Amino acid sequence: MTDLNNKQWPPTCSAALLHQRAELYRTIRAFFIEKAVLEVETPVLSAAASCDINLDSFCTALSASQKLYLQTSPEFAMKRLLAAGSGSIYQIAKSFRQSERGRFHNPEFTLLEWYRVGFKLADLINEMVELLMLCFGQNLAYRTVTYEQLFQQLTGLNPHQLTYSDLMAYTTTQGNPEASDICGGKLSNGLDYVFSQYVQPKLKKDLVYFVTGYPECMAMLAQLDEGPPVTAKRFEVYFNNVELANGYEELTDAAEQARRFRDELTQREQGGLDGLPMDKNLLAALAHGMPECSGVALGLDRLLMLMTGANAIDDVLTFPIDRA
């Protein structure tokens, strides 16, 4: 029987917020039109998935014998366009991550992802500063700082010299012995946990942080700087204690990318997770030749939260997963 008294039908965001989101998208599109960066659209469904042990892809089926995966970001498909000669591109894209739900998380969310051919990391950071100031309609104080500087300043530990055991010993001294259950024995997870619990909450309010020089084990799809110490050519953006964006000077070496995919699949197997098909189309595109570039993914729902003072992601979504 139909429940005509169901109170879950209305949107969780206000009518004013609908207009603010539309205005944000207009601002973003005008920004990239001015810079001659092409807007593109790529498939949400793919025969391959991210192998990252920290990402959980939604799976569906085209047929009894063919699985498809909802994208965790449009990154792989956009890199195929870059390899095909698209030039600098951007996309406002729906992305999906299973098992992510909370104040800052909804399983379905919106990313702004863009790639700038010929840009180094510093160039992309400068462009992102410009876009953020445009979106907020004001000058923003910002700081570029290395991961090592922040980590050592706020924990007393050098992240490039730590073992997983060192990290777990530190969390125990801080009254969080349960960290080992969360981090699963993985050094990058341990670093992430300590950063999120003991560094990120101590960042200054009203200051945009561009954190660079991540440890090698956290390189993801970024190139490496030979150091010493060896670090990833990667940055993350934090504003008012919210993680907003993740950027790379992009890896273009197909063999190295394949090696990282295999390592991730091994980690998934060791962690008792399902194996996933690596993206062979991406590897073929890299082998064909992707131009040197830098790219970044910016969470638009979180950006709207900061722009409007919203307390939770549900406040800026029409219908979060509980009402979808």
Side-chain angles (χ1 to χ4, degrees):
M1 184 176 179
T2 303
D3 181 7
L4 298 180
N5 294 315
N6 179 5
K7 302 300 184 184
Q8 296 297 305
W9 69 264
T12 52
C13 72
S14 66
L17 201 289
L18 293 176
H19 288 272
Q20 286 172 297
R21 182 181 286 269
E23 180 59 31
L24 173 62
Y25 288 8
R26 283 192 291 271
T27 297
I28 290 168
R29 289 189 165 104
F31 178 81
F32 286 118
I33 288 171
E34 176 71 21
K35 294 181 176 294
V37 178
L38 180 67
E39 182 173 12
V40 299
E41 183 174 284
T42 54
V44 170
L45 285 169
S46 174
S50 172
C51 302
D52 189 334
I53 192 171
N54 296 310
L55 298 179
D56 193 0
S57 299
F58 283 97
C59 180
T60 185
L62 182 62
S63 66
S65 60
Q66 185 175 359
K67 290 182 177 179
L68 293 174
Y69 300 88
L70 286 169
Q71 67 182 6
T72 55
S73 91
E75 179 171 6
F76 293 175
M78 292 182 77
K79 287 181 174 179
R80 290 165 63 186
L81 291 180
L82 290 163
S86 66
S88 297
I89 53 177
Y90 81 97
Q91 183 172 183
I92 296 173
K94 284 292 188 181
S95 299
F96 306 84
R97 297 179 187 180
Q98 198 166 192
S99 306
E100 294 199 6
R101 184 71 176 113
R103 182 183 172 196
F104 298 105
H105 296 89
N106 191 63
E108 177 182 349
F109 58 100
T110 305
L111 283 176
L112 166 63
E113 191 147 334
W114 79 94
Y115 294 85
R116 294 292 256 132
V117 174
F119 269 37
K120 297 296 186 182
L121 218 56
D123 301 317
L124 191 60
I125 288 172
N126 289 337
E127 185 165 84
M128 187 159 186
V129 169
E130 188 180 348
L131 177 60
L132 288 176
M133 289 187 180
L134 188 63
C135 291
F136 281 93
Q138 65 183 70
N139 288 331
L140 298 171
Y142 65 95
R143 176 187 178 195
T144 300
V145 60
T146 68
Y147 187 92
E148 178 182 351
Q149 287 172 322
L150 272 184
F151 206 98
Q152 194 149 23
Q153 175 188 342
L154 296 174
T155 68
L157 304 172
N158 186 328
H160 301 296
Q161 298 174 355
L162 295 171
T163 65
Y164 180 79
S165 296
D166 294 332
L167 290 164
M168 294 305 99
Y170 177 80
T171 62
T172 298
T173 65
Q174 300 299 309
N176 281 324
E178 72 281 1
S180 59
D181 297 327
I182 298 169
C183 299
K186 194 164 179 273
L187 177 59
S188 59
N189 285 355
L191 288 166
D192 255 344
Y193 181 87
V194 171
F195 191 94
S196 67
Q197 297 297 311
Y198 308 111
V199 178
Q200 187 177 338
K202 298 176 184 176
L203 300 180
K204 293 180 180 178
K205 298 284 188 181
D206 300 319
L207 179 64
V208 182
Y209 287 83
F210 290 85
V211 184
T212 64
Y214 276 70
E216 181 181 7
C217 66
M218 304 172 81
M220 311 289 281
L221 287 88
Q223 293 189 34
L224 295 177
D225 189 323
E226 294 181 359
V230 176
T231 58
K233 294 182 179 182
R234 172 186 172 194
F235 68 85
E236 287 196 358
V237 182
Y238 293 87
F239 188 34
N240 288 340
N241 299 131
V242 176
E243 180 189 341
L244 267 184
N246 189 13
Y248 307 134
E249 199 163 308
E250 301 293 345
L251 183 65
T252 58
D253 186 317
E256 172 61 15
Q257 185 61 77
R259 185 194 68 78
R260 292 189 194 181
F261 279 162
R262 288 192 296 269
D263 285 349
E264 288 174 337
L265 288 172
T266 298
Q267 292 168 11
R268 292 185 69 88
E269 182 179 359
Q270 292 171 346
L273 300 176
D274 292 338
L276 293 170
M278 70 172 68
D279 196 326
K280 295 180 180 178
N281 285 326
L282 172 63
L283 296 176
L286 295 179
H288 170 79
M290 190 178 83
E292 295 292 325
C293 62
S294 293
V296 61
L298 167 64
L300 291 185
D301 306 311
R302 292 185 181 184
L303 179 59
L304 269 171
M305 286 180 63
L306 292 174
M307 291 172 60
T308 61
N311 184 59
I313 196 169
D314 287 12
D315 298 334
V316 301
L317 300 176
T318 51
F319 305 106
I321 194 64
D322 308 318
R323 298 194 182 194

